[in-house]
Amino acid sequence: DTHVYVAAGTDGLHVVDVNNPGSISLEQTILDEGSIQDVAVQDRFVFLSTTSGLRVLQRLADGLHPFGAIDVAGATVLEVLGDRAFMALTGTNELAVLDISDPSKPKVIYKWRIEDQDLHLRNGGMDVKHFKWNGRYYFVQSLQFGQGGPDSDMGAVIVDVTDLPDPTKVKEVARLREPDSPGGFHNIFVYKHSSGRVLLIATIGAPYAAVYD
């Protein structure tokens, strides 16, 4: 594919043809799917995180066409891996895992939610990434909670989702905290080192990034 898909908020989704780097052109703009927060591409489908939830578009010869949808309140950042989609739900302090094995009928199969939600301040869920370690699959959600409420030093939660779609076997395995830099993490990045170690790099409320092994 020689296209770039740009999530442009209330300006919709821009499909840019980059086949000729010397003559980049806007090929299509989609405005009827709401405010586009994030985009992920897998095979012949384009997955959109919108203010209404998940929207699935199919790539055909004449452009993108609606294919599937599900409403998920607070959807922002989106990560797609195989037949799973992970969505950070900003403002609700949740992360949703969706089954997209049938892209025409996506469905929520699991939600992680912070306890005592009403006591937590600020945005809550921010970014989301996934990684594989020792044959198991995990998602990481960065969090930002304000001082004056609980968990202001909490930056991320890590959850083992290997055994989905059975939600009873999903396990929270770690919470990352930075007591010296309260306010949580914003962007997070997963990097697999040449040694095989998986590293999590997080932007925090300090003039440096934090790296976790």
Side-chain angles (χ1 to χ4, degrees):
D1 187 19
T2 58
H3 296 90
V4 172
Y5 301 87
V6 181
T10 55
D11 290 330
L13 176 74
H14 299 319
V15 183
V16 182
D17 186 346
V18 295
N19 183 54
N20 181 359
S23 182
I24 295 175
S25 61
L26 178 62
E27 186 173 283
Q28 184 180 8
T29 295
I30 295 176
L31 296 171
D32 54 359
E33 296 294 345
S35 179
I36 311 300
Q37 306 299 303
D38 203 359
V39 58
V41 180
Q42 183 169 267
D43 300 327
R44 68 182 191 279
F45 297 105
V46 176
F47 299 87
L48 305 177
S49 176
T50 78
T51 48
S52 299
L54 181 69
R55 299 294 181 261
V56 184
L57 307 178
Q58 185 177 26
R59 296 188 292 175
L60 299 175
D62 60 343
L64 297 174
H65 297 268
F67 192 78
I70 184 172
D71 290 343
V72 184
T76 52
V77 179
L78 170 68
E79 183 95 343
V80 170
L81 173 65
D83 58 2
R84 300 282 185 265
F86 303 88
M87 302 184 78
L89 309 183
T90 297
T92 64
N93 305 333
E94 295 177 304
L95 184 138
V97 184
L98 295 89
D99 182 345
I100 53 171
S101 55
D102 180 355
S104 68
K105 299 177 181 179
K107 58 183 180 181
V108 176
I109 56 175
Y110 176 77
K111 276 189 177 182
W112 176 88
R113 182 177 183 176
I114 192 74
E115 66 279 356
D116 299 321
Q117 182 185 35
D118 293 340
L119 300 179
H120 288 76
L121 306 178
R122 290 185 64 191
N123 294 330
M126 298 297 296
D127 201 357
V128 59
K129 293 291 187 291
H130 68 268
F131 66 93
K132 182 180 180 181
W133 177 251
N134 285 342
R136 300 194 68 80
Y137 292 90
Y138 302 86
F139 76 67
V140 188
Q141 174 163 336
S142 64
L143 300 162
Q144 286 191 330
F145 296 123
Q147 298 186 55
D151 296 315
S152 63
D153 65 340
M154 183 176 170
V157 60
I158 302 175
V159 179
D160 184 337
V161 294
T162 306
D163 295 316
L164 282 173
D166 184 352
T168 65
K169 295 183 178 179
V170 176
K171 297 180 180 179
E172 180 183 316
V173 297
R175 293 186 175 189
L176 305 182
R177 297 181 182 273
E178 280 287 340
D180 295 333
S181 298
F185 300 169
H186 193 273
N187 297 110
I188 53 175
F189 308 89
V190 172
Y191 173 71
K192 187 172 184 180
H193 193 269
S194 57
S195 65
R197 296 159 59 196
V198 176
L199 304 177
L200 177 71
I201 303 169
T203 57
I204 64 175
Y208 55 83
V211 181
Y212 294 85
D213 188 344

